Amino acid sequence: MLAVGLVGLLTAAWTTGRSTATHVWVAGGFVKLQPGARAARWDGLLVAPRGGRASFQIVVDHGLPARPRAGALVAAGGARLAGAVSVLRELTVPVTAHSSALPSGMLGDVPDPLVPVAVRPQAGTRQVFWITVRVPRTQRAGLYRGTVTVGAHAVAFRLRVAAVTLPRQHAVRTWFLVWGNHADAAEHREDSAPVYTRLLTRYGIGDGTQAGGDAAVGLRPDALGGDESDADLRQLARRVGSAAAKLHATRPSAVPYSYVYDEPTASQLDGIRRWGAALKRSAPTVRQLVTAPPKDDVGDAVGAWSMHLGALNPGVLATTHRLGAEAWVYSSCCESKGSPTLLLDQDAVGNLAVAPATWLQGGAGVLYWSVDDFTGDPYTDARNHGDEPGQIGNGDGVLLYPGRPLGQRSPNPSLRLALTAAGLQIADEAALLARRGHAAEARAILRRVLPGTASFVDNPGTWQATERALLQHLERTS
């Protein structure tokens, strides 16, 4: 067996007996590897906290269809990390025009769907595999060694499990909407939404319930017409309160939200005030969430104002808190140019940066308006055809891919979802360091990659070093 080590080695090759050599090489998890792209420099050592994860990529160039398999990781003292490694095949989606928010975004075939290795690779000479190691919360700290085999060949890797245990609840809350009608239409069966929610839960998105993908309850954004009487609103609020009570019975720490008003116009402000009053009277544990910067003229009717990262500056944060509300962030097709986004043609660290930037800028949560808004075939069409006129949002509204087109009964995650999970982990590490009395230090470390409002350093190696610095400081303060 030919071993391909990660440490200090970016490329390696073997001969398959054919005239074209097969090359296998490895890359970190903070890059998107397009066909023909070369890997950013990466030292090959994985580091992760207990309760966290670490990822890297294996690339096979000019090889037969491969089905990599992972074994257990073993430490020098005999400790094992069994069943912790998952291997998924990366597929690409063609991007033919830049997203409006990304004038210098990626074009061509961009990796995003993560599918079982049994799925046939797309046409071409390159296969890329996404390798994830999930670390149990009780795992012994130390250095572990493992391998991923590709046919008769092996890729050896190392993982250092840091002596740090992440909290069970994320520092940044998440509400990623699953639209049941889209899921049912894509999977050709009713009641498909719960399996979409369970997939989000595996990536740490939401609160683990089957109602909406997270701790959100209540009405969908298009549920109110604005002409309801006060009595009608109170009746609706009582239903929302009942749903919140059921949620609290199973998840006492959950914070329920009701998201009805999306980017409201001036004519809708009275509706916001009335719905907020109905919630306070009949569902007092539920916070109204509105996608807009804070507005003084609605008072305390809103419990969470959700806005683009570029709008969440210190002054806006202060106004939000003065109104007794939380500040949230939401990502969409229409971000300010240069901001971190969840768009498909954004590079990897741009997707990764959304959650830690939210925490650093004082945000309490991240809202994503849909993970399954399939307006075309998401495997072959990057555009969301429901975007605003004149706007292009590649991958907008799609973070999960339907399983049925590939003969599966469950959806597939995306590379952007995995990067979102990695970003939430970095935010958790910074927040944990802050809770231990080192808030200034945590913020200073994050500012190495997040130097200002909605700005980020576009360097995978710097992001990797930043996470390691957070873990090292946490180990010193444990």
Side-chain angles (χ1 to χ4, degrees), residues 185-198:
E187 306 297 352
H188 289 200
R189 66 177 187 273
E190 295 182 355
D191 200 27
S192 295
V195 70
Y196 278 62
T197 296
R198 287 194 291 271

Side-chain angles (χ1 to χ4, degrees), residues 35-102:
R38 300 181 65 183
R41 185 165 183 81
W42 179 56
D43 68 11
L45 174 64
L46 302 170
V47 182
R50 293 179 292 226
R53 69 188 79 199
S55 298
F56 67 99
Q57 297 171 89
I58 295 176
V59 185
V60 180
D61 283 326
H62 302 291
L64 296 173
R67 294 191 179 187
R69 292 176 290 109
L73 288 90
V74 182
R80 293 173 62 84
L81 221 177
V85 184
S86 65
V87 183
L88 295 171
R89 184 186 298 278
E90 297 181 25
L91 301 182
T92 61
V93 180
V95 174
T96 58
H98 296 297
S99 290
S100 300
L102 301 172

Side-chain angles (χ1 to χ4, degrees), residues 314-349:
V316 169
L317 180 65
T319 298
T320 304
H321 290 168
R322 177 172 55 78
L323 293 172
E326 298 174 338
W328 277 52
V329 162
Y330 77 97
S331 186
S332 72
C333 66
C334 314
E335 309 284 347
S336 302
K337 292 178 174 60
S339 296
T341 75
L342 297 182
L343 292 169
L344 174 65
D345 47 334
Q346 179 107 62
D347 58 6
V349 294

Side-chain angles (χ1 to χ4, degrees), residues 57-242:
Q57 297 171 89
I58 295 176
V59 185
V60 180
D61 283 326
H62 302 291
L64 296 173
R67 294 191 179 187
R69 292 176 290 109
L73 288 90
V74 182
R80 293 173 62 84
L81 221 177
V85 184
S86 65
V87 183
L88 295 171
R89 184 186 298 278
E90 297 181 25
L91 301 182
T92 61
V93 180
V95 174
T96 58
H98 296 297
S99 290
S100 300
L102 301 172
S104 300
M106 306 173 77
L107 290 175
D109 294 328
V110 178
D112 199 47
L114 300 179
V115 303
V117 296
V119 173
R120 287 185 59 82
Q122 293 166 306
T125 60
R126 170 168 290 180
Q127 300 172 71
V128 185
F129 299 93
W130 182 260
I131 319 298
T132 300
V133 185
R134 300 179 187 235
V135 182
R137 302 178 62 80
T138 57
Q139 192 66 36
R140 181 181 302 174
L143 185 64
Y144 292 76
R145 299 179 184 273
T147 58
V148 178
T149 60
V150 186
H153 312 278
V155 173
F157 67 96
R158 299 180 302 163
L159 168 72
R160 188 176 77 81
V161 176
V164 176
T165 304
L166 293 183
R168 294 187 182 276
Q169 182 174 306
H170 284 309
V172 176
R173 294 184 181 275
T174 49
W175 184 357
F176 286 22
L177 274 69
V178 176
W179 292 85
N181 57 331
H182 294 308
D184 292 350
E187 306 297 352
H188 289 200
R189 66 177 187 273
E190 295 182 355
D191 200 27
S192 295
V195 70
Y196 278 62
T197 296
R198 287 194 291 271
L199 179 53
L200 290 176
T201 301
R202 290 207 295 273
Y203 282 82
I205 302 298
D207 76 339
T209 70
Q210 294 187 7
D214 58 10
V217 299
L219 305 175
R220 291 300 188 189
D222 58 355
L224 290 182
D227 56 353
E228 291 84 1
S229 68
D230 288 344
D232 290 337
L233 291 178
R234 287 195 296 272
Q235 183 177 4
L236 289 169
R238 283 193 289 272
R239 285 168 41 196
V240 171
S242 176

Side-chain angles (χ1 to χ4, degrees), residues 203-464:
Y203 282 82
I205 302 298
D207 76 339
T209 70
Q210 294 187 7
D214 58 10
V217 299
L219 305 175
R220 291 300 188 189
D222 58 355
L224 290 182
D227 56 353
E228 291 84 1
S229 68
D230 288 344
D232 290 337
L233 291 178
R234 287 195 296 272
Q235 183 177 4
L236 289 169
R238 283 193 289 272
R239 285 168 41 196
V240 171
S242 176
K246 292 178 181 178
L247 176 63
H248 278 135
T250 56
R251 304 281 298 193
S253 63
V255 180
Y257 299 85
S258 175
Y259 168 31
V260 175
Y261 288 94
D262 182 66
E263 299 177 356
T265 63
S267 64
Q268 294 177 300
L269 296 184
D270 185 59
I272 291 173
R273 286 189 286 265
R274 293 175 64 226
W275 180 235
L279 289 175
K280 285 180 179 295
R281 178 171 177 172
S282 301
T285 65
V286 179
R287 303 178 187 182
Q288 180 175 201
L289 183 146
V290 175
T291 52
K295 301 181 185 298
D296 275 299
D297 47 3
V298 299
D300 63 354
V302 174
W305 293 101
S306 186
M307 64 208 81
H308 287 157
L309 267 170
L312 184 54
N313 58 47
V316 169
L317 180 65
T319 298
T320 304
H321 290 168
R322 177 172 55 78
L323 293 172
E326 298 174 338
W328 277 52
V329 162
Y330 77 97
S331 186
S332 72
C333 66
C334 314
E335 309 284 347
S336 302
K337 292 178 174 60
S339 296
T341 75
L342 297 182
L343 292 169
L344 174 65
D345 47 334
Q346 179 107 62
D347 58 6
V349 294
N351 301 150
L352 175 77
V354 171
T358 298
W359 181 83
L360 186 60
Q361 292 176 210
V366 174
L367 170 75
Y368 197 62
W369 65 277
S370 173
V371 300
D372 60 341
D373 190 46
F374 308 128
T375 59
D377 178 358
Y379 290 100
T380 61
D381 186 356
R383 294 282 298 273
N384 186 314
H385 300 283
D387 281 338
E388 297 177 10
Q391 293 282 349
I392 297 175
N394 293 305
D396 186 33
V398 175
L399 285 181
L400 303 182
Y401 287 81
R404 190 177 185 280
L406 302 182
Q408 302 167 243
R409 290 190 59 80
S410 58
N412 293 303
S414 64
L415 183 53
R416 287 173 293 147
L417 182 64
L419 290 165
T420 299
L424 286 167
Q425 178 170 301
I426 291 173
D428 287 343
E429 292 158 354
L432 180 58
L433 185 58
R435 284 198 294 273
R436 290 181 177 179
H438 301 274
E441 194 171 17
R443 293 180 179 280
I445 293 172
L446 270 190
R447 287 195 182 100
R448 299 175 188 174
V449 287
L450 298 166
T453 300
S455 63
F456 66 98
V457 173
D458 192 2
N459 186 304
T462 305
W463 276 91
Q464 183 187 39

